Structure formats: structure tokens, C-alpha cells
Amino acid sequence: MPAILTEGDVPPPPPAHGPGQKFALGPTPPPAHVSGGEPGELPEAYGTGMLLLTARDPHWLYAWWDFTAEQLRQFNRRAAQGHLTLRVFKDKVAEKPHTEVAVHPESRNWFVHVGKGGTRYVAQLGYYNKQRRWQKVAESEATFTPPDSLADDITARFATVPPDVSFERLVEIVKEAARQHLPLAQAISEIVQPQSEDAPAAGQSGTVPAELQVPGAVAPAAWTPEQEKALARMISIDAVRRVWIGSLEITELVRRRLVQELASQAAVPQPGGLGALASLASPFGGQPPGPKGFWFNVNAELVIYGATEPDASVTIAGRPIQLRPDGSFSYRFALPDGMYDLPIVAVSADKSEGRGADLHFSRRTEYQGEVGMHPQDPALQPPLPENL
């Protein structure tokens, strides 16, 4: 770098290029629209007449429409009530909508309560004219609300992405899977090619680690620690190599999808010990596996807590307990039907004072109809002295 550049001088302009100096006009100035001045503003609407419908959650939809202010005024003038109306249909457009809401005359979006998850919906935007006839001005593509209950299918599927598949092709596959509401593994499996005998060894480009090569559907409860480690290696690919996906964004999408599915599966008790993981998806448990329908679970727990001087001695049912540094204590128990007595005594450090409380607990449960036992931490024991 020339030393003069460090002295604050502006570098000389680049030499002109061309067939000769006679017609050389010097460096080309930047276009006027990028040479400075006030930045432009995006229009409030483009007037395409498009209606977009998407799910906010299992029970709510979000609708957005692209009309200019003048277009909205024209439609409002034609409407008998002076505003547009949004109609939502289940599965397909029919004579009677599932729900119908009147929107504000100047609104360009609206939230609609549909109250049912796992359902296909289509929307129409329009108005009722002076003769009370429906006039459609826009219709959306179909969208699905996510399910509001646990899935019946709790198997996991794996698909290998061939190393020669381009990033553009992967983006197309993900977009198509989202548009058709297909599982990502199913969409990726469409491009999977059978591997030849001379394919690279496990852990190299284009192959699935040997621990994950399980034929058919894989039950989550049957996973081994080696399989879980192999899965973690597969979905946390080095940013430089990008062996499996070719894009950190797609890798993150796969990781989130797997974490979400495995967390939801953990809420259902599975053979092999997954039932203890119910708190991953919901701290209050969930619907038991089996046919869908009305159900009801109930249970009860007992929490004993208190505090005294940090250097005092405390016993529960004659058993010394450990106090926290601030002198507090707490114990959590299961509470099955029965009667339980837990006397608690606190004695000062110099043995000059004492306090006591006799706690008596009982539970008697009467059921009406089919009532199940709500899942509980299996480590909880009844409030008995030997369980302290």
C-alpha cells in the first residue's frame, strides 16, 4: 500500500478502460438512485388481491390480504354493511362457512378463531351486496392447523441426503414439504439413491453412521445411547464440511424438527422407561395412549415445608433432617389414600428451647365414572418416617 494513503489523501481514480483514450470518459459515475439522497418508502400495499391464510396455533388462523386503500374503499362502498367479511371453511369451500367474521373497513389482516387443531382450512374475503348476495374478492390457498393432541404414530424415520444434491434442490424439497404438510424425512427420502457396495465407510460423506442403520421405522423407546450420540453427531455438522445438508439453515431445521418430535413423544409413557420423561413436553403429563376421546386423570401430592434458626436441630417423626443454610426445609411426598402422622420438632442450638407440631394427613378418594391416575414422579414415596 502506498504510504501516501496513510496521510489522508484520497486515492487516485482507477484508469479508464476501453479501445483508446480518444473516447475514454473516465470512471462511470454510480446510478442516480444509489448516489445518495433520501431513501424511498415501500408502498402500503401493492394491490395484488392476494389472500394469505396461515395457522397461528391449533385453534387460531391469521389472514392477510393485499389491497390498496382505494381498492378497500371501493369494496366497502359496494358492501351492504360497509365492510368486508372473512369466511373460513373446513377442508374446502362450501355453501356454509365454518366461521364468518366482519373485519374493520381499513384492516388488511385479521385473526380468526377456529377451535380445532389438525384440520385443513380455506378462506374467502368478500362482502354481501345490497341484495344480500355474497361477492368474493379473494380466496386463499389451503392451510392446516397443527394438532392439539399427541400423535398416534411415535416412530422415527431417517433419510440420508446424497452428497451430490445441490443446495438449491434441498431448498425446493423443504419448501414443497412445508407446502404439502409432509414430514421432512419423507420429502428428503424421495431423492435418496441406493448406496453401492463401494460407498464410503460409516461417518464419511453420503452415509448414515452404522449405529443409525436400523431397517424400517425406529421406535424411540428402543434407542440406545450409541444411537443418540450418532444422531447428535449427524445433526451438528461442522460448518466448513457441511457433509449432510450443505446449509446451516437446513441443518437447524432438521435439528429443531427432531427435538420437537422427540419431546412430544416423551410425554407418552413408552415401554423401556420413557414414561419418566413426561415433564419434557408438559409438567402436568398428557393424554394417555389409545383411542381418542374424553378422559380424566387426577392425583394428589403432599409438600411439607418450614424454617427455623439455621443452627437449630429439626426432626420429623423422630428422624433428624438436614436444614438449608437459611434454616428452611421442604419435603415432597406422594399421597395415596390412607392416614398419615408426621410430628415435627425443632430444638435450639443450646438446647434451651423447643417447638413442636403434630401434622395429621388423610386422603379418601371416591371416583365417579372412569377416572385414571395422573402420572407422578415415580421417585415420590408416601409420607412415612422411613421415606424421609
Side-chain angles (χ1 to χ4, degrees), residues 30-40:
H33 66 278
V34 296
S35 59
E38 295 295 329

Side-chain angles (χ1 to χ4, degrees), residues 84-85 124-129 131 133-138:
L84 292 175
T85 301
Q124 282 187 349
L125 184 68
Y127 60 90
Y128 291 98
N129 60 19
Q131 293 76 33
R133 293 181 180 176
W134 173 252
Q135 300 294 321
K136 180 187 71 174
V137 298

Side-chain angles (χ1 to χ4, degrees), residues 150 268-269 286-291 295 297:
L150 298 177
V268 181
Q287 179 176 358
W295 54 280
N297 289 345

Side-chain angles (χ1 to χ4, degrees), residues 305-310 314 321-331:
Y305 59 94
T308 184
E309 296 293 333
V314 177
I321 64 171
Q322 183 71 35
L323 300 179
R324 299 189 183 99
D326 62 353
S328 63
F329 63 92
S330 63
Y331 284 88

